[in-house]
Amino acid sequence: MVEGKKGRVDATVSELREQNLKEKEQRAGNEAGRISWRRKLGNIALLFLSGVLMSTAYPPLNLTFMVWIGLVPLFLLVMNKNIWQAWRGGYIWGYGFSVCAFFWIREIEWFIPYLMAFVLALFPAFWAMVLPAVRRGLMIPVEVQLKGFEETERYNEHPIRHELMFAVVMAAWWCVIEWIRSWIATGLPWNYLATAQWRNISLIQICEFTGMYGVSFVIAMVNVTLALAIVGYYRMRRNCKLRRPVAFIVSLLLVLVVVVLGSYSAMRHAVPDGKDVTFSVAALQGDISQRRHANSDAAEEALDKYLALSAEAVKLEPELIMWPETAVPYPFRAQHPVCYKYRMGVAQLIQRSGIPFLIGTVDYERLPEGVNRQPGVYNSALLIDSSLKIKAQFNKVHTVPFGEYVPFRKYLPEFIINMVDMGRDLTPGTSLEPIKVLRGVRAGVNICFEDVFPYVARGEAARGANVLLVITNDAWYPTSSEPEQHLANSVFRAVETRLPMVRCGNNSGSCLISADGRIADSMFKKRTKSGKTIHDIVRRGDGVAVFTVKSAINPKQTFYTRFGDVFIMICIAIVVWGFGWSLWQWKKKKEALREAFEV
């Protein structure tokens, strides 16, 4: 009870100090207010800048080490704030990160990244919002909190297990936030913490069990425990009592274990298990500029370019020829002179070579007789076999908001619709069934940014796909880092499903990705003086590349393919436990305070 009274007194003293400070600030010539505002502006600048620095971990700079420390400034600046101050700090950090990490989208409209960042910043804001409360609830006993802020700030006697529990809860909360972001508001699972490690082959092997979230968890835990180590060092300097950063050491050991096991796993999956099939695929990259509203001349120019590249590819005798997404901006099966030339040109090449073509094109729904409505319009991949028939078709399942359809069209002002509308809303496909492109080859097709959504590749792998074929067109972003970021987010699909992936892009990113996430071959390559081959995966330009693909005929499905986001369910359970425990501790504190005031 005495301690409760002391806590109440300390709180009252703190309130009086704040009141005196406000009175001093109002006195003529007093500099306290100016200093206070300078400190606030300094904190805002630090938060924004640290978010910007975190974005450098991603393409085009690829300063991947930044992702391991990028959350530390945010942690240190909000850990002693109240819930709304912490939320605001996370929002400022998130805005700085989002504007820079998604700055490539300016190539659609210059203002979009600045508006989009207002939404994306909400997610780190909600992560930061709970950080001070969970830290107090899991690491600082109620009796210490009742002694006031200064005692709480000096306290450094918490058990190591409590520090580890806090780090695990906050890392799990970050993963849950990423998972929520993939479905709510933006629907864009792009540039997770894990994405920055896309070239760290050993680390990302864990994705066959956890998806990308496992890598994000490890990174977030290193950030949190590093911040705790810094806080512990600072308090050790004040209290002259050494406290080893055991939690940080544990998180580093976790990274070591993941990397060692990942290195073994990468070597094991370098060669397909069991009976395999080997086939060759020619990827065509025409480097055609984006033709959103193409006229017949622009469409014919694109057609001539891809027919010429196809003629080159035929000479190389691959078993399959791939065109990128909507390589020709006119539909393959429409009634137009350019479309007729399109069909005839492809047919002549197939007749001469006997090689099937997989082409990306806009296609129209075939309505049954007697059905009187507008047919659906699809972004499709058509497989045309040696008999000149369309043997199989895949319709894009996950269409792009504001690019392929306008969400809430009937509620939006006309001027906004006119800015983004392409004259029609594309109809999403409904099937993830693989298509049989060659004997023994069942391809899961991804069109454009579908390859950043795990559920698409996972659904195709679960239905028997033994290779992933991606056709894309990043010419919307001719000068930005978007094509490389797109590729960086895409490589995780190969690891999650343990299937090789062939990417065919219109202007960049055409490559072969092995089942361990490694870039095994690419359209353009460079050789160093030592003879090492470097894959120039983001080089613009036209060309033809033949990739030799080896895959198991009946690959064993990964844990992630079979069970999906089990790891996220575990993270949700951890978060619920951590929040529940913190809430219980808060309730105990409130009850103790109430008893103290009732005496």
Side-chain angles (χ1 to χ4, degrees), residues 241-257:
K241 187 175 181 180
L242 178 64
R243 184 179 177 87
R244 293 183 178 87
V246 176
F248 181 54
I249 294 170
V250 169
S251 68
L252 293 181
L253 288 174
L254 175 62
V255 174
L256 180 62
V257 169

Side-chain angles (χ1 to χ4, degrees), residues 112-384:
I112 294 180
Y114 303 100
L115 294 180
M116 189 175 174
F118 282 115
V119 177
L120 291 172
L122 290 170
F123 298 99
F126 282 106
W127 183 79
M129 180 180 75
V130 305
L131 191 151
V134 174
R135 176 173 166 267
R136 286 193 296 269
L138 293 181
M139 293 179 57
I140 304 173
V142 170
E143 53 270 21
V144 175
Q145 295 182 47
L146 290 172
K147 294 178 181 179
F149 176 79
E150 291 184 1
E151 283 296 322
T152 300
E153 184 65 11
R154 281 197 297 266
Y155 181 73
N156 201 29
E157 302 297 326
H158 50 266
I160 295 300
R161 66 178 182 277
H162 289 190
E163 198 169 295
L164 283 169
M165 286 190 297
F166 168 67
V168 167
V169 169
M170 292 309 300
W173 178 227
W174 184 275
C175 294
V176 173
I177 288 287
E178 287 188 337
W179 179 71
I180 293 171
R181 179 164 78 90
S182 71
W183 297 106
I184 295 179
T186 60
L188 188 62
W190 190 288
N191 286 355
Y192 289 169
L193 290 182
T195 305
Q197 300 299 308
W198 68 286
R199 296 186 297 187
N200 190 339
I201 302 302
S202 297
L203 183 68
I204 67 175
Q205 300 309 306
I206 193 178
C207 293
E208 73 166 302
F209 301 101
T210 65
M212 293 179 71
Y213 304 110
V215 180
S216 291
F217 179 91
V218 173
I219 295 170
M221 188 165 174
V222 170
N223 274 270
V224 172
T225 55
L226 175 58
L228 289 173
I230 293 171
V231 172
Y233 176 76
Y234 172 74
R235 288 178 175 171
M236 181 269 290
R237 293 289 301 272
R238 290 175 58 186
N239 300 335
C240 298
K241 187 175 181 180
L242 178 64
R243 184 179 177 87
R244 293 183 178 87
V246 176
F248 181 54
I249 294 170
V250 169
S251 68
L252 293 181
L253 288 174
L254 175 62
V255 174
L256 180 62
V257 169
V258 171
V259 168
V260 170
L261 294 178
S263 298
Y264 168 75
S265 182
M267 289 187 292
R268 187 165 59 88
H269 287 94
V271 179
D273 292 333
K275 190 175 180 181
D276 59 55
V277 58
T278 302
F279 59 99
S280 57
V281 180
L284 311 187
Q285 184 170 299
D287 198 25
I288 301 296
S289 61
Q290 185 55 252
R291 291 153 195 223
R292 183 171 184 172
H293 300 291
N295 57 28
S296 57
D297 290 338
E300 191 163 11
E301 179 191 6
L303 175 60
D304 290 341
K305 183 61 172 283
Y306 274 100
L307 288 176
L309 289 173
S310 297
E312 290 182 31
V314 164
K315 296 175 184 177
L316 301 173
E317 300 182 347
E319 295 172 77
L320 176 70
I321 293 176
M322 286 176 65
W323 287 23
E325 173 198 21
T326 56
V328 178
Y330 277 19
F332 181 75
R333 295 200 276 193
Q335 300 302 315
H336 187 279
V338 173
C339 302
Y340 178 78
K341 180 181 177 181
Y342 191 176
R343 292 192 294 275
M344 290 302 101
V346 171
Q348 289 171 4
L349 287 165
I350 293 175
Q351 280 183 326
R352 191 165 71 241
S353 66
I355 301 170
F357 275 52
L358 181 73
I359 62 172
T361 183
V362 172
D363 197 46
Y364 295 95
E365 181 184 11
R366 297 309 186 254
L367 295 175
E369 289 186 18
V371 176
N372 186 22
R373 62 172 174 82
Q374 276 300 110
V377 184
Y378 298 107
N379 187 349
S380 301
L382 305 180
L383 177 66
I384 307 168

Side-chain angles (χ1 to χ4, degrees), residues 366-582:
R366 297 309 186 254
L367 295 175
E369 289 186 18
V371 176
N372 186 22
R373 62 172 174 82
Q374 276 300 110
V377 184
Y378 298 107
N379 187 349
S380 301
L382 305 180
L383 177 66
I384 307 168
D385 66 7
S386 56
S387 66
L388 304 183
K389 294 180 180 179
I390 297 177
K391 183 181 177 182
Q393 177 172 351
F394 174 82
N395 298 321
K396 186 176 183 180
V397 172
H398 202 114
T399 49
V400 183
F402 299 106
E404 295 175 325
Y405 74 99
V406 179
F408 313 110
R409 177 186 286 271
K410 63 181 180 180
Y411 303 110
L412 293 177
E414 193 66 28
F415 77 93
I416 292 180
I417 294 175
N418 291 336
M419 289 172 59
V420 299
D421 195 16
M422 295 186 69
R424 79 286 184 273
D425 282 349
L426 294 184
T427 304
T430 57
S431 175
L432 294 175
E433 198 66 32
I435 62 176
K436 296 178 181 179
V437 293
L438 297 167
R439 185 175 181 180
V441 180
R442 302 175 302 280
V445 179
N446 289 201
I447 300 177
C448 188
F449 88 144
E450 280 188 319
D451 60 352
V452 307
F453 287 90
Y455 82 91
V456 177
R458 175 178 165 253
E460 292 168 336
R463 290 165 175 80
N466 60 357
V467 67
L468 299 174
L469 301 181
V470 178
I471 58 173
T472 184
N473 187 351
D474 291 313
W476 293 90
Y477 313 98
T479 62
S480 73
S481 61
E482 188 276 344
E484 187 178 2
Q485 284 193 13
H486 187 181
L487 174 61
N489 284 276
S490 178
V491 298
F492 292 88
R493 306 295 82 79
V495 182
E496 289 164 354
T497 60
R498 290 302 183 193
L499 299 180
M501 174 189 288
V502 178
R503 296 182 91 251
C504 178
N506 170 54
N507 69 329
S508 63
S510 298
C511 62
L512 169 64
I513 302 171
S514 60
D516 60 0
R518 180 174 44 86
I519 307 297
D521 203 353
S522 61
M523 179 73 66
F524 303 110
K525 296 179 278 288
K526 297 183 291 187
R527 284 196 174 275
T528 62
K529 293 181 179 179
S530 62
K532 182 181 179 181
T533 299
I534 298 176
H535 297 289
D536 196 355
I537 49 180
V538 293
R539 175 178 162 187
R540 267 69 168 178
D542 59 352
V544 177
V546 177
F547 303 131
T548 300
V549 186
K550 180 177 285 189
S551 177
I553 293 179
N554 294 300
K556 183 180 178 181
Q557 292 184 358
T558 65
F559 180 90
Y560 187 76
T561 297
R562 285 182 289 161
F563 303 110
D565 289 318
V566 171
F567 182 75
I568 280 295
M569 299 303 106
I570 294 172
C571 286
I572 291 173
I574 291 171
V575 167
V576 169
W577 174 85
F579 287 7
W581 181 272
S582 301

